[in-house]
Amino acid sequence: VDMDEFVDSPTWGLTEEEQADFFPGIFSSDVSPQFGDGHYRLGFPPNRSMQVLYYNEEWLAELGYDGPPTTWAELKEMACAATDPDAGTVGYTVGEGASLMAGLIFSRHGTYFEEDGSAFDFTNDTVKESMRFMQELHDEGCFARPAERYGEQADFGNYKSLFASGSSSGLPYYAQAVIEGEQGEFLWSVAPLPYADTGDEPVLNLYGGSVAVPKTTSEQELAAWLFVKWLTEPEQLARWAKISNYFPVRASAAEDMTEYFEDNPAYKTAWELLPYGTFEAQWCPCYEDVRRSMADAFGAILDGADVDATLAQLDADANASLEENM
């Protein structure tokens, strides 16, 4: 069902004020330009997470820096300064593929798909620059992928990596890793991926599952929408955020989260970045296939594969999947 039929309903929908309460990078994420009149709302977002940069505040200070990097050159300098093979430390570790790849591109104010949904574009200059940077960082030994799943959290907690990239939903696990770490607790927080090379404001990747309403009967469809509408009211969003550590999708949910923010300062820091969020190409029915291809291509590039050739193949595979699914 095109959920705009419900969202914009004068009887059952959301008022202009309620719609404006949703963060723009979240409210637009399920709108597909490929169906109907080019504004077909395939689903509705009950929560989101964010691709962030975790950083060790104390270690940065020890290295002589007063805060996290805002440019990729600064990140490289800091990461390489923290890297010491003899001590078993490395500047930067990551544990995710497709969402980090998208986040790297977005951070440079770029994209990898056409706004009208007509094509993927993994061969533009911004995508190539993003991948070459990570490959160079890896080749210089200042970047590493963990040996096991979620190993980046353990490395960070053990004072073995200065930076880590991952989902904001991992905040409780990073906190636990720091508490249980080999060197004891230390000050840490989160920041946006570096952005100042191409703009004054960060652009962050917001992602997560949405809910859809299948076509059945008008009564069932309306009942489903009324549940979704209830689920995305500020009170319910705040309750769910405290349980799941995902972000509420509406700004006013913060009114019920004051104590949670106080108890979880890194979460609050990430929350304040939500207005700068954008979204992946989840409007495409092909996107699960494309995400897998993105993760494979990103891993291959980090392992030394030719950037241009790998991205050209990814571009071809993604657009073939787009055509097949449309």
Side-chain angles (χ1 to χ4, degrees):
V1 173
D2 180 358
M3 294 184 74
D4 271 340
E5 296 177 14
F6 303 122
V7 172
D8 296 330
S9 167
T11 303
W12 307 110
L14 300 170
T15 66
E16 289 186 8
E17 182 180 6
E18 288 171 328
Q19 292 185 32
D21 191 31
F22 286 79
F23 293 103
I26 297 175
F27 194 64
S28 302
S29 61
D30 298 301
V31 175
S32 175
Q34 300 171 307
F35 301 98
D37 60 358
H39 193 284
Y40 196 101
R41 193 176 295 277
L42 293 171
F44 207 76
N47 51 241
R48 283 293 181 266
S49 59
M50 176 191 297
Q51 188 71 206
V52 294
L53 182 72
Y54 291 84
Y55 69 95
N56 183 324
E57 288 188 55
E58 293 187 21
W59 197 350
L60 273 180
E62 292 169 10
L63 294 170
Y65 300 106
D66 57 7
T70 58
T71 69
W72 286 104
E74 290 175 349
L75 182 140
K76 182 177 182 180
E77 177 185 315
M78 295 173 183
C80 290
T83 299
D84 184 348
D86 293 334
T89 62
V90 67
Y92 189 19
T93 61
V94 301
E96 296 186 56
S99 289
L100 175 60
M101 183 178 185
L104 294 170
I105 298 164
F106 295 153
S107 75
R108 290 174 167 84
H109 295 241
T111 187
Y112 57 94
F113 53 85
E114 299 296 337
E115 188 175 345
D116 63 2
S118 61
F120 286 97
D121 180 13
F122 286 104
T123 59
N124 66 64
D125 291 343
T126 304
V127 177
K128 290 180 179 180
E129 178 188 357
S130 303
M131 295 302 98
R132 288 196 178 105
F133 176 87
M134 296 303 289
Q135 191 174 68
E136 291 169 5
L137 197 64
H138 184 268
D139 291 345
E140 293 182 26
C142 305
F143 169 91
R145 288 185 290 169
E148 58 187 27
R149 193 178 186 193
Y150 303 125
E152 72 280 5
Q153 296 170 4
D155 290 344
F156 186 81
N158 287 330
Y159 229 90
K160 295 299 184 182
S161 64
L162 176 64
F163 300 120
S165 281
S167 169
S168 57
S169 62
L171 280 162
Y173 305 105
Y174 277 88
Q176 189 65 27
V178 170
I179 292 172
E180 298 174 352
E182 296 173 354
Q183 294 197 31
E185 294 187 54
F186 55 85
L187 295 176
W188 63 279
S189 190
V190 294
L193 293 175
Y195 58 89
D197 303 272
T198 50
D200 296 329
E201 294 182 342
V203 180
L204 295 108
N205 182 16
L206 300 176
Y207 53 103
S210 294
V211 293
V213 176
K215 288 186 178 181
T216 52
T217 68
S218 58
E219 292 85 0
Q220 287 177 302
E221 292 168 7
L222 177 58
W225 161 249
L226 292 175
F227 172 74
V228 172
K229 181 181 178 181
W230 171 85
L231 183 65
T232 54
E233 290 173 352
E235 181 183 358
Q236 279 68 257
L237 290 173
R239 288 168 58 196
W240 178 243
K242 296 170 190 176
I243 295 169
S244 67
N245 210 62
Y246 282 93
F247 289 120
V249 295
R250 295 175 63 167
S252 62
E255 297 172 9
D256 293 324
M257 298 186 66
T258 302
E259 185 176 341
Y260 191 78
F261 287 153
E262 292 174 354
D263 294 339
N264 300 274
Y267 182 96
K268 184 176 186 295
T269 297
W271 162 269
E272 292 171 347
L273 296 170
L274 283 172
Y276 304 106
T278 190
F279 50 89
E280 300 182 30
Q282 63 188 63
W283 39 260
C284 176
C286 65
Y287 196 52
E288 284 300 317
D289 290 337
V290 174
R291 274 181 61 86
R292 284 190 286 271
S293 296
M294 289 172 66
D296 291 343
F298 185 55
I301 287 170
L302 294 179
D303 288 337
D306 182 80
V307 170
D308 288 354
T310 303
L311 291 177
Q313 185 62 56
L314 171 60
D315 195 72
D317 292 343
N319 281 298
S321 184
L322 171 63
E323 182 177 356
E324 178 183 347
N325 277 274
M326 289 305 297

